[in-house]
Amino acid sequence: MEWPTIQECRRYLTKYCIINKFEVRKPKNEGYRIRAYCKAEECPWMTCFRKKPKEFTMKLRKIVLEHTCYADPLEHNCMVDANFIVEELEDQITLHHKTFKPSDIQKQMFYNFHIEVSYWSAWHARANKVLEKLFRDYDGSYRMIPELRKQVLLSNPSSIATYSRDMENGNQFTRLCIALKGSLTGFVTRCRPIVGLDGCFLKRKYGG
Ligand SMILES: [Zn+2]
């Protein structure tokens, strides 16, 4: 068996272990070969892949298929991380990014592989890997607030659009206030003069 790159070979090995419900240890991170041994004590399962001379192609050189260990009945596998989740579910998370929550990722991974995924790994895969790729990073979106204010005032003259930053704390964004002219006029001329306050909490990476 052969794989075009070492990354694809690693991915294949990870998926193979997850599907077959065992974990491996790799004694060294080497650029030209992958050696992996079953993590269970005294279990003989092992494999070795090696790069072909002057090529990127990886070739299976040796495999001992016998296991003397038992699969984890609790359905945990530490080889399942955010990267693996993204490789398996990126299209699904991207397509349904508004409604596909970390708990849905946990259910889908259990359905696909019969494994338990931690909430943190599911959250990390969705927020830090897929959504950041889709919408650029969260930090970058905060940098666009001055432009947002400018565009609101350009398209809605006489509106209120202000924001503030904490100059002593690395210019950190603190507040944003937007009140559109149409809403302000409607409130003053048509509504009873009652002001109601409610809270709105920020979720995801930066809460508040
Ligand atoms: Zn084993």
Side-chain angles (χ1 to χ4, degrees):
M1 289 176 81
E2 292 184 351
W3 295 263
T5 62
I6 192 166
Q7 289 81 9
E8 287 189 46
C9 187
R10 283 198 188 108
R11 277 200 286 274
Y12 176 87
L13 176 62
T14 302
K15 195 164 178 175
Y16 177 87
C17 295
I18 290 166
I19 289 171
N20 289 286
K21 297 194 168 296
F22 69 102
E23 297 171 4
V24 292
R25 61 185 169 81
K26 296 172 195 160
K28 268 187 183 174
N29 195 0
E30 297 166 303
Y32 67 100
R33 70 174 175 181
I34 301 169
R35 285 180 299 154
Y37 302 86
C38 179
K39 253 189 180 176
E41 230 170 88
E42 297 184 9
C43 180
W45 189 96
M46 68 82 63
T47 187
C48 180
F49 308 85
R50 200 180 180 99
K51 242 181 203 174
K52 286 170 96 174
K54 298 178 185 171
E55 285 185 39
F56 291 110
T57 311
M58 295 292 290
K59 191 171 180 175
L60 177 64
R61 301 296 296 265
K62 186 178 177 184
I63 186 159
V64 177
L65 287 168
E66 186 196 352
H67 276 286
T68 53
C69 61
Y70 297 96
D72 177 6
L74 296 173
E75 288 138 359
H76 290 300
N77 192 319
C78 72
M79 296 175 77
V80 180
D81 58 8
N83 289 329
F84 180 74
I85 295 170
V86 172
E87 277 157 22
E88 293 302 318
L89 301 182
E90 182 169 6
D91 291 348
Q92 209 170 341
I93 300 171
T94 303
L95 189 63
H96 306 290
H97 64 271
K98 286 186 181 166
T99 52
F100 209 69
K101 298 188 170 70
S103 54
D104 298 316
I105 293 174
Q106 288 178 296
K107 281 180 208 158
Q108 192 63 50
M109 289 298 286
F110 192 81
Y111 180 79
N112 289 5
F113 298 101
H114 216 69
I115 45 163
E116 300 276 1
V117 172
S118 73
Y119 185 87
W120 161 247
S121 294
W123 184 91
H124 182 48
R126 178 179 180 271
N128 292 350
K129 306 243 173 215
V130 180
L131 296 189
E132 280 205 6
K133 192 169 158 191
L134 201 58
F135 300 112
R136 300 176 64 191
D137 61 305
Y138 282 93
D139 305 43
S141 63
Y142 279 94
R143 283 195 288 276
M144 291 171 74
I145 285 175
E147 184 59 28
L148 171 68
R149 174 185 174 273
K150 190 176 153 189
Q151 293 301 327
V152 167
L153 292 177
L154 272 176
S155 52
N156 298 273
S158 301
S159 296
I160 295 171
T162 60
Y163 67 95
S164 60
R165 290 174 291 182
D166 184 354
M167 306 300 255
E168 291 177 4
N169 195 12
N171 231 0
Q172 187 182 8
F173 166 78
T174 51
R175 289 183 189 86
L176 170 70
C177 171
I178 292 176
L180 301 176
K181 170 67 177 164
S183 303
L184 291 170
T185 306
F187 176 75
V188 170
T189 57
R190 300 288 177 192
C191 296
R192 290 186 182 182
I194 298 171
V195 176
L197 293 177
D198 197 1
C200 177
F201 301 97
L202 300 176
K203 293 182 178 176
R204 300 193 178 170
K205 189 175 179 183
Y206 297 113

